Structure formats: structure tokens, C-alpha cells
Amino acid sequence: MSRTFVGGLAAALAAALALTGCSSSAASTPSSAPATLTVVTHDSFNVSPDLLASFEKSSGLKVTYVAPGDAGTLVNQLVLTKDSPLGDVVYGIDNTFAGRALSEQVTTPYTSTALPAADADALKADGSDRLTPIDFGDVCVNADTAWFSAHHLAVPQTLEDLTKPEYKDLLVVPNPASSSPGMAFLTATVGASGDPGYLGYWTALKNNGVLIAKDWTETYSVQFSGSAGKGPRPLALSYSTSPASEVVNGAAPTQALLQTCFRQVEYAGVIAGAKNPEGAKKFIDFMLSQQVQADIPGQMYMYPALRSATLPADWVSFAPLSPSPYAVPAATITADRDRWIRDWTATVVG
């Protein structure tokens, strides 16, 4: 989640190396094929170490992971390094930054047989097959329900509620210029208030004391009172699945406000100019395997793109999807995203 829970990548990779030992060198690899694969991800990438180890063993590849930052930073780096690609395959481009990745042609077409056409069509970025959907989730404001109960204040429900005086200085969101969840929330406000109406909405949020954090990690893990960071703010932008990560003794102390959501899709793609494009395709197939798709909810708190994948039992109660997330056409996001960010920055930050 591009958003997701940061810190798992380093631990997962360390454990994977411990599990694999020399298994990758023992596996047979055609002499003409590169023996290495570089995977470029956002910094919230997290797959169980045993699955990462199994991929190295079955593919015969030695895998290196590069995580330059959030999804926004990830796309920026892919564009800036087009002439000298960072790696072979990318995971973590989301639908708010997909337009830039596609227009800059940082990936090449690939159609994975591991993802049924119906599942792919429901989440596709465009018709080019240059980005393959891997997972999705709803970006929503989360509330620390215990805080609201202790302060005898009703939990807000809608975007409009967040501008009311009783919720002054309670909300924190990540900067949309550098954060994919932040950009998703900005897009939700465009869907709700129109263009340029969203700027009026953000002016109201600013006047009501919204805090702009640099990224999702600072928003949820530092500033939010309902997470491990125990920060000062009881309203924070995260995901509809985030409450499932906070469950203690069968109850979640937080809830997602399902009337504030934008549906985010995360993609993988073969990087243009990859040294090992065949290995890149294998990695995309691996990410779409039943085992990894079933692993994604527990590791990255996103819904798997493969609809046949098994979901955790407690997601029915604690990780519901919004019945009506705000929607903005992909073509509109592609055409207007940079202008939205520029005008948002001038209105809220400048």
C-alpha cells in the first residue's frame, strides 16, 4: 500500500537471503540468460521471505531489490533514468501516477497468462498492456474511534464533515506532490468537488487546520493517534484495510471513513531497456501467483488483483471496500495531474 506498511522490505529481503543461501547458483539457468534480476519497487513492498526465496530457487535468478521511495518518487526516478534503467521490472506504480509512466514509455508491453482477462480488464491502466495490475485498495481517511469516544465527539463521515469547526486541527494527510496516497486523496476531492471546485474544498481544509505530512509513513505511523506512533491527530489518510492491522483481541480501535475514498490500483511492468526482460516477465507472473496474491493482504494490506485469491477471514469485518469510491477517469488524471498538484501547492502550501 503504496501506502502500505513500511519497513517490511528490509526484513523480508534479509530473511530471504538467509533462506536461499546458495540456492540461486545451484538452480540451472541457460548460459545465454542473465543470472541476475533487479526489481524496482516503492518502499512499502513486502512479500513473505519464503516466497521471495522460492522465486529465486525456481527461476535460477539472483534477485536484487531497489526501493527509491514512494510511488511518486518511484515513477520520477524511472523517468529520470530512462537512458540508464534502474532495473528490469518495476512494481508499485499506481493509477494516479500511471499516466506519467505510460506517456514517458518507461515500461514495455507484457500480457501475463497468470491473470484472467476479466480481472485484468477490471483494473487495467489503459489498453497497451504496459502495466499489469497486481493489487488494489481504497485510500480513505481513518479515524481513531477511541479518541473520539474519549472526547465525546462524533466520528466524521464525509469529506464535507472534515471542514467543520469541531474537527479543526484533527486531520493529517500526505503531500500529493510526492505521495501516491496523497495524490489519491487529492483526486478524490476533484471527484467530489469538481475542477476547480477542489481548490475551494482544500482552502476550507487549510482553514480548518489540516496538517500536510511528507508521506504516508509520517501521516499514519507518526502523526496519527490510532497507530503505533500514538501521534496527536485522530484523523489520518490511509486505507480502508488499515483497521485490520490494528486489531487487538478481536476488535479494531480505528475505522475507515468509507465515504472519503479513492480506489488505488498498483501495477507492475517490464522496464524499457531491461537487461533481463524474460526474468522481468517471470517476476510479474510470480506476483500474480496464487501464493503471492494470497500473501499480499497480510503483508501489504491491499486486495489481490486475482479475484480467486484467498482473503484473510477478518477482512470482512475490518477491511471493507468502499461501496462508492470517488472516481476520476484515467485520461483526466493523466491530462490534469500536474496542474492539480501545481494549483494545490499554490493554494495549500504556497
Side-chain angles (χ1 to χ4, degrees):
M1 339 184 126
S2 329
R3 120 237 88 72
T4 8
F5 296 88
V6 179
L9 175 61
L13 298 184
L17 290 173
L19 283 168
T20 52
C22 299
S23 61
S24 60
S25 61
S28 59
T29 303
S31 58
S32 60
T36 62
L37 180 74
T38 301
V39 179
V40 186
T41 77
H42 57 46
D43 55 8
S44 296
F45 174 75
N46 193 13
V47 172
S48 291
D50 59 333
L51 293 176
L52 297 176
S54 72
F55 174 72
E56 286 201 347
K57 184 175 182 179
S58 64
S59 67
L61 297 168
K62 182 64 178 176
V63 183
T64 299
Y65 296 86
V66 176
D70 202 324
T73 301
L74 171 64
V75 173
N76 289 339
Q77 289 300 307
L78 290 173
V79 172
L80 291 172
T81 59
K82 280 198 302 183
D83 293 336
S84 182
L86 290 174
D88 303 297
V89 60
V90 58
Y91 160 78
I93 297 173
D94 85 325
N95 51 328
T96 65
F97 285 92
R100 186 177 187 211
L102 291 167
S103 65
E104 294 285 350
Q105 299 185 14
V106 299
T107 57
T108 59
Y110 175 59
T111 302
S112 175
T113 59
L115 186 65
D119 293 2
D121 289 346
L123 301 170
K124 65 182 180 181
D126 67 356
S128 70
D129 291 329
R130 284 184 288 155
L131 291 174
T132 301
I134 301 297
D135 54 58
F136 68 97
D138 286 344
V139 177
C140 317
V141 174
N142 277 221
D144 177 356
T145 50
W147 187 97
F148 282 94
S149 177
H151 288 77
H152 306 290
L153 182 62
V155 175
Q157 298 299 314
T158 67
L159 290 175
E160 193 62 33
D161 285 346
L162 300 175
T163 67
K164 294 178 178 179
E166 56 264 43
Y167 304 113
K168 185 174 178 63
D169 297 331
L170 301 186
L171 175 65
V172 55
V173 301
N175 191 322
S178 56
S179 163
S180 58
M183 186 62 215
F185 185 62
L186 174 60
T187 305
T189 66
V190 173
S193 301
D195 182 3
Y198 76 100
L199 293 174
Y201 176 77
W202 277 96
T203 298
L205 281 185
K206 180 180 180 181
N207 292 339
N208 211 36
V210 65
L211 175 65
I212 307 301
K214 66 178 181 179
D215 54 23
W216 175 87
T217 301
E218 181 185 347
T219 298
Y220 190 83
S221 300
V222 178
Q223 296 293 341
F224 185 40
S225 63
S227 71
K230 302 301 179 186
R233 300 215 168 202
L235 295 170
L237 187 73
S238 194
Y239 287 75
S240 73
T241 55
S242 296
S245 71
E246 307 293 347
V247 173
V248 177
N249 297 325
T254 64
Q255 69 179 80
L257 309 184
L258 297 182
Q259 297 181 59
T260 67
C261 306
F262 176 84
R263 186 150 296 167
Q264 182 185 53
V265 184
E266 293 186 313
Y267 301 97
V270 178
I271 297 176
K275 295 180 180 179
N276 189 355
E278 293 307 311
K281 295 173 184 178
K282 289 180 181 179
F283 186 81
I284 292 174
D285 291 345
F286 163 71
M287 290 295 292
L288 290 169
S289 66
Q290 285 283 350
Q291 295 89 339
V292 173
Q293 289 282 288
D295 189 59
I296 283 173
Q299 297 296 327
M300 293 191 283
Y301 286 86
M302 296 290 275
Y303 274 81
L306 195 65
R307 285 182 286 186
S308 61
T310 302
L311 293 174
D314 61 357
W315 274 38
V316 174
S317 299
F318 301 115
L321 290 167
S322 171
S324 53
Y326 288 103
V328 177
T332 301
I333 299 174
T334 300
D336 297 332
R337 182 181 60 83
D338 290 345
R339 176 176 58 82
W340 292 343
I341 292 175
R342 183 179 63 249
D343 293 348
W344 177 91
T345 302
T347 299
V348 179
V349 180

